[in-house]
mmCIF file of all heavy atoms in Angstrom:
data_model
loop_
_atom_site.group_PDB
_atom_site.id
_atom_site.type_symbol
_atom_site.label_atom_id
_atom_site.label_comp_id
_atom_site.label_asym_id
_atom_site.label_seq_id
_atom_site.Cartn_x
_atom_site.Cartn_y
_atom_site.Cartn_z
ATOM 1 N N GLU A 123 -6.543 -89.145 17.116
ATOM 2 C CA GLU A 123 -7.419 -88.680 18.194
ATOM 3 C C GLU A 123 -6.936 -89.108 19.578
ATOM 4 O O GLU A 123 -7.229 -88.445 20.573
ATOM 5 C CB GLU A 123 -8.840 -89.188 17.967
ATOM 6 C CG GLU A 123 -9.007 -90.684 18.013
ATOM 7 C CD GLU A 123 -10.451 -91.112 17.807
ATOM 8 O OE1 GLU A 123 -11.357 -90.276 17.998
ATOM 9 O OE2 GLU A 123 -10.691 -92.276 17.449
ATOM 10 N N ASP A 124 -6.184 -90.208 19.658
ATOM 11 C CA ASP A 124 -5.704 -90.681 20.961
ATOM 12 C C ASP A 124 -4.553 -89.842 21.515
ATOM 13 O O ASP A 124 -4.216 -89.962 22.691
ATOM 14 C CB ASP A 124 -5.243 -92.134 20.863
ATOM 15 C CG ASP A 124 -6.395 -93.117 20.740
ATOM 16 O OD1 ASP A 124 -7.552 -92.694 20.953
ATOM 17 O OD2 ASP A 124 -6.143 -94.294 20.424
ATOM 18 N N ASP A 125 -3.937 -89.013 20.667
ATOM 19 C CA ASP A 125 -2.781 -88.231 21.108
ATOM 20 C C ASP A 125 -3.276 -86.930 21.745
ATOM 21 O O ASP A 125 -3.194 -85.846 21.164
ATOM 22 C CB ASP A 125 -1.853 -87.955 19.922
ATOM 23 C CG ASP A 125 -0.475 -87.475 20.367
ATOM 24 O OD1 ASP A 125 -0.314 -87.141 21.559
ATOM 25 O OD2 ASP A 125 0.436 -87.439 19.524
ATOM 26 N N VAL A 126 -3.780 -87.057 22.955
ATOM 27 C CA VAL A 126 -4.403 -85.920 23.641
ATOM 28 C C VAL A 126 -3.390 -84.806 23.894
ATOM 29 O O VAL A 126 -3.722 -83.610 23.782
ATOM 30 C CB VAL A 126 -5.032 -86.400 24.969
ATOM 31 C CG1 VAL A 126 -5.612 -85.223 25.752
ATOM 32 C CG2 VAL A 126 -6.113 -87.438 24.690
ATOM 33 N N ALA A 127 -2.152 -85.158 24.222
ATOM 34 C CA ALA A 127 -1.144 -84.139 24.527
ATOM 35 C C ALA A 127 -0.825 -83.287 23.301
ATOM 36 O O ALA A 127 -0.733 -82.051 23.394
ATOM 37 C CB ALA A 127 0.124 -84.806 25.047
ATOM 38 N N MET A 128 -0.657 -83.913 22.128
ATOM 39 C CA MET A 128 -0.365 -83.144 20.924
ATOM 40 C C MET A 128 -1.553 -82.278 20.534
ATOM 41 O O MET A 128 -1.390 -81.126 20.102
ATOM 42 C CB MET A 128 0.011 -84.074 19.773
ATOM 43 C CG MET A 128 0.419 -83.344 18.496
ATOM 44 S SD MET A 128 1.967 -82.402 18.669
ATOM 45 C CE MET A 128 3.178 -83.700 18.349
ATOM 46 N N ARG A 129 -2.753 -82.807 20.718
ATOM 47 C CA ARG A 129 -3.942 -82.001 20.427
ATOM 48 C C ARG A 129 -3.976 -80.751 21.299
ATOM 49 O O ARG A 129 -4.276 -79.643 20.826
ATOM 50 C CB ARG A 129 -5.203 -82.838 20.658
ATOM 51 C CG ARG A 129 -5.400 -83.961 19.643
ATOM 52 C CD ARG A 129 -6.470 -84.950 20.080
ATOM 53 N NE ARG A 129 -7.739 -84.290 20.364
ATOM 54 C CZ ARG A 129 -8.794 -84.922 20.870
ATOM 55 N NH1 ARG A 129 -8.719 -86.218 21.171
ATOM 56 N NH2 ARG A 129 -9.918 -84.264 21.078
ATOM 57 N N ALA A 130 -3.655 -80.904 22.574
ATOM 58 C CA ALA A 130 -3.648 -79.762 23.492
ATOM 59 C C ALA A 130 -2.593 -78.744 23.087
ATOM 60 O O ALA A 130 -2.831 -77.527 23.138
ATOM 61 C CB ALA A 130 -3.419 -80.246 24.918
ATOM 62 N N ASP A 131 -1.422 -79.226 22.666
ATOM 63 C CA ASP A 131 -0.359 -78.313 22.242
ATOM 64 C C ASP A 131 -0.768 -77.534 20.996
ATOM 65 O O ASP A 131 -0.488 -76.327 20.877
ATOM 66 C CB ASP A 131 0.931 -79.085 21.957
ATOM 67 C CG ASP A 131 1.621 -79.563 23.235
ATOM 68 O OD1 ASP A 131 1.132 -79.232 24.334
ATOM 69 O OD2 ASP A 131 2.635 -80.269 23.122
ATOM 70 N N LEU A 132 -1.416 -78.194 20.049
ATOM 71 C CA LEU A 132 -1.889 -77.503 18.849
ATOM 72 C C LEU A 132 -2.916 -76.436 19.214
ATOM 73 O O LEU A 132 -2.845 -75.292 18.724
ATOM 74 C CB LEU A 132 -2.501 -78.510 17.878
ATOM 75 C CG LEU A 132 -1.517 -79.371 17.083
ATOM 76 C CD1 LEU A 132 -2.221 -80.578 16.482
ATOM 77 C CD2 LEU A 132 -0.853 -78.548 15.980
ATOM 78 N N GLU A 133 -3.851 -76.785 20.061
ATOM 79 C CA GLU A 133 -4.883 -75.822 20.451
ATOM 80 C C GLU A 133 -4.284 -74.654 21.222
ATOM 81 O O GLU A 133 -4.727 -73.499 21.073
ATOM 82 C CB GLU A 133 -5.965 -76.544 21.258
ATOM 83 C CG GLU A 133 -6.776 -77.513 20.399
ATOM 84 C CD GLU A 133 -7.625 -78.479 21.206
ATOM 85 O OE1 GLU A 133 -7.654 -78.336 22.465
ATOM 86 O OE2 GLU A 133 -8.247 -79.379 20.608
ATOM 87 N N HIS A 134 -3.260 -74.927 22.035
ATOM 88 C CA HIS A 134 -2.591 -73.858 22.774
ATOM 89 C C HIS A 134 -1.934 -72.864 21.818
ATOM 90 O O HIS A 134 -1.849 -71.661 22.117
ATOM 91 C CB HIS A 134 -1.556 -74.449 23.724
ATOM 92 C CG HIS A 134 -0.825 -73.434 24.547
ATOM 93 N ND1 HIS A 134 -1.413 -72.763 25.602
ATOM 94 C CD2 HIS A 134 0.452 -72.946 24.449
ATOM 95 C CE1 HIS A 134 -0.547 -71.912 26.128
ATOM 96 N NE2 HIS A 134 0.591 -72.009 25.455
ATOM 97 N N ARG A 135 -1.486 -73.350 20.670
ATOM 98 C CA ARG A 135 -0.861 -72.473 19.667
ATOM 99 C C ARG A 135 -1.885 -71.783 18.769
ATOM 100 O O ARG A 135 -1.520 -71.074 17.836
ATOM 101 C CB ARG A 135 0.115 -73.268 18.802
ATOM 102 C CG ARG A 135 1.345 -73.770 19.543
ATOM 103 C CD ARG A 135 2.403 -74.289 18.589
ATOM 104 N NE ARG A 135 3.567 -74.800 19.303
ATOM 105 C CZ ARG A 135 4.807 -74.806 18.825
ATOM 106 N NH1 ARG A 135 5.046 -74.319 17.601
ATOM 107 N NH2 ARG A 135 5.805 -75.286 19.537
ATOM 108 N N GLY A 136 -3.153 -72.024 19.013
ATOM 109 C CA GLY A 136 -4.188 -71.344 18.242
ATOM 110 C C GLY A 136 -4.714 -72.125 17.058
ATOM 111 O O GLY A 136 -5.515 -71.596 16.274
ATOM 112 N N TYR A 137 -4.317 -73.381 16.913
ATOM 113 C CA TYR A 137 -4.852 -74.208 15.830
ATOM 114 C C TYR A 137 -6.284 -74.612 16.166
ATOM 115 O O TYR A 137 -6.640 -74.810 17.332
ATOM 116 C CB TYR A 137 -4.004 -75.465 15.643
ATOM 117 C CG TYR A 137 -2.659 -75.239 15.000
ATOM 118 C CD1 TYR A 137 -1.631 -74.612 15.701
ATOM 119 C CD2 TYR A 137 -2.408 -75.651 13.698
ATOM 120 C CE1 TYR A 137 -0.380 -74.405 15.121
ATOM 121 C CE2 TYR A 137 -1.168 -75.465 13.106
ATOM 122 C CZ TYR A 137 -0.153 -74.836 13.831
ATOM 123 O OH TYR A 137 1.072 -74.636 13.249
ATOM 124 N N THR A 138 -7.096 -74.757 15.128
ATOM 125 C CA THR A 138 -8.476 -75.184 15.310
ATOM 126 C C THR A 138 -8.749 -76.419 14.470
ATOM 127 O O THR A 138 -8.154 -76.613 13.398
ATOM 128 C CB THR A 138 -9.468 -74.075 14.917
ATOM 129 O OG1 THR A 138 -9.228 -73.676 13.552
ATOM 130 C CG2 THR A 138 -9.309 -72.858 15.825
ATOM 131 N N LEU A 139 -9.660 -77.253 14.943
ATOM 132 C CA LEU A 139 -10.023 -78.473 14.230
ATOM 133 C C LEU A 139 -10.831 -78.109 12.994
ATOM 134 O O LEU A 139 -11.852 -77.419 13.083
ATOM 135 C CB LEU A 139 -10.826 -79.386 15.148
ATOM 136 C CG LEU A 139 -11.247 -80.731 14.559
ATOM 137 C CD1 LEU A 139 -10.034 -81.562 14.171
ATOM 138 C CD2 LEU A 139 -12.118 -81.481 15.569
ATOM 139 N N ASP A 140 -10.376 -78.582 11.838
ATOM 140 C CA ASP A 140 -11.021 -78.230 10.573
ATOM 141 C C ASP A 140 -11.815 -79.394 10.000
ATOM 142 O O ASP A 140 -12.970 -79.236 9.613
ATOM 143 C CB ASP A 140 -9.952 -77.774 9.570
ATOM 144 C CG ASP A 140 -10.543 -77.285 8.269
ATOM 145 O OD1 ASP A 140 -11.420 -76.401 8.313
ATOM 146 O OD2 ASP A 140 -10.135 -77.788 7.196
ATOM 147 N N GLU A 141 -11.202 -80.565 9.915
ATOM 148 C CA GLU A 141 -11.861 -81.743 9.361
ATOM 149 C C GLU A 141 -11.398 -82.984 10.110
ATOM 150 O O GLU A 141 -10.389 -82.952 10.821
ATOM 151 C CB GLU A 141 -11.527 -81.912 7.870
ATOM 152 C CG GLU A 141 -12.050 -80.823 6.962
ATOM 153 C CD GLU A 141 -11.727 -81.079 5.501
ATOM 154 O OE1 GLU A 141 -11.205 -82.183 5.188
ATOM 155 O OE2 GLU A 141 -11.991 -80.211 4.672
ATOM 156 N N THR A 142 -12.133 -84.075 9.924
ATOM 157 C CA THR A 142 -11.695 -85.363 10.450
ATOM 158 C C THR A 142 -11.882 -86.429 9.379
ATOM 159 O O THR A 142 -12.793 -86.339 8.552
ATOM 160 C CB THR A 142 -12.478 -85.794 11.702
ATOM 161 O OG1 THR A 142 -13.827 -86.110 11.344
ATOM 162 C CG2 THR A 142 -12.470 -84.704 12.753
ATOM 163 N N THR A 143 -11.006 -87.404 9.391
ATOM 164 C CA THR A 143 -11.194 -88.625 8.617
ATOM 165 C C THR A 143 -10.965 -89.797 9.564
ATOM 166 O O THR A 143 -10.527 -89.605 10.702
ATOM 167 C CB THR A 143 -10.223 -88.713 7.427
ATOM 168 O OG1 THR A 143 -8.867 -88.635 7.904
ATOM 169 C CG2 THR A 143 -10.474 -87.595 6.426
ATOM 170 N N ARG A 144 -11.242 -90.982 9.088
ATOM 171 C CA ARG A 144 -11.025 -92.156 9.929
ATOM 172 C C ARG A 144 -10.008 -93.059 9.256
ATOM 173 O O ARG A 144 -10.184 -93.458 8.098
ATOM 174 C CB ARG A 144 -12.325 -92.922 10.175
ATOM 175 C CG ARG A 144 -12.179 -94.002 11.233
ATOM 176 C CD ARG A 144 -13.532 -94.517 11.688
ATOM 177 N NE ARG A 144 -14.328 -93.506 12.351
ATOM 178 C CZ ARG A 144 -14.200 -93.139 13.634
ATOM 179 N NH1 ARG A 144 -13.272 -93.706 14.400
ATOM 180 N NH2 ARG A 144 -14.980 -92.209 14.144
ATOM 181 N N ALA A 145 -8.932 -93.364 9.970
ATOM 182 C CA ALA A 145 -7.950 -94.318 9.461
ATOM 183 C C ALA A 145 -8.573 -95.709 9.482
ATOM 184 O O ALA A 145 -9.188 -96.112 10.469
ATOM 185 C CB ALA A 145 -6.689 -94.292 10.315
ATOM 186 N N MET A 146 -8.417 -96.434 8.379
ATOM 187 C CA MET A 146 -8.988 -97.769 8.278
ATOM 188 C C MET A 146 -7.990 -98.690 7.593
ATOM 189 O O MET A 146 -7.202 -98.250 6.748
ATOM 190 C CB MET A 146 -10.320 -97.746 7.520
ATOM 191 C CG MET A 146 -11.348 -96.795 8.119
ATOM 192 S SD MET A 146 -13.013 -96.906 7.383
ATOM 193 C CE MET A 146 -13.680 -98.328 8.264
ATOM 194 N N GLY A 147 -8.014 -99.955 7.975
ATOM 195 C CA GLY A 147 -7.077 -100.915 7.397
ATOM 196 C C GLY A 147 -7.709 -102.280 7.225
ATOM 197 O O GLY A 147 -8.686 -102.626 7.903
#
Side-chain angles (χ1 to χ4, degrees):
E123 64 179 340
D124 287 348
D125 195 348
V126 176
M128 184 66 84
R129 291 167 55 186
D131 286 356
L132 284 163
E133 291 166 5
H134 181 73
R135 293 192 181 209
Y137 287 72
T138 57
L139 182 61
D140 185 53
E141 295 182 7
T142 69
T143 57
R144 190 167 296 279
M146 304 188 82

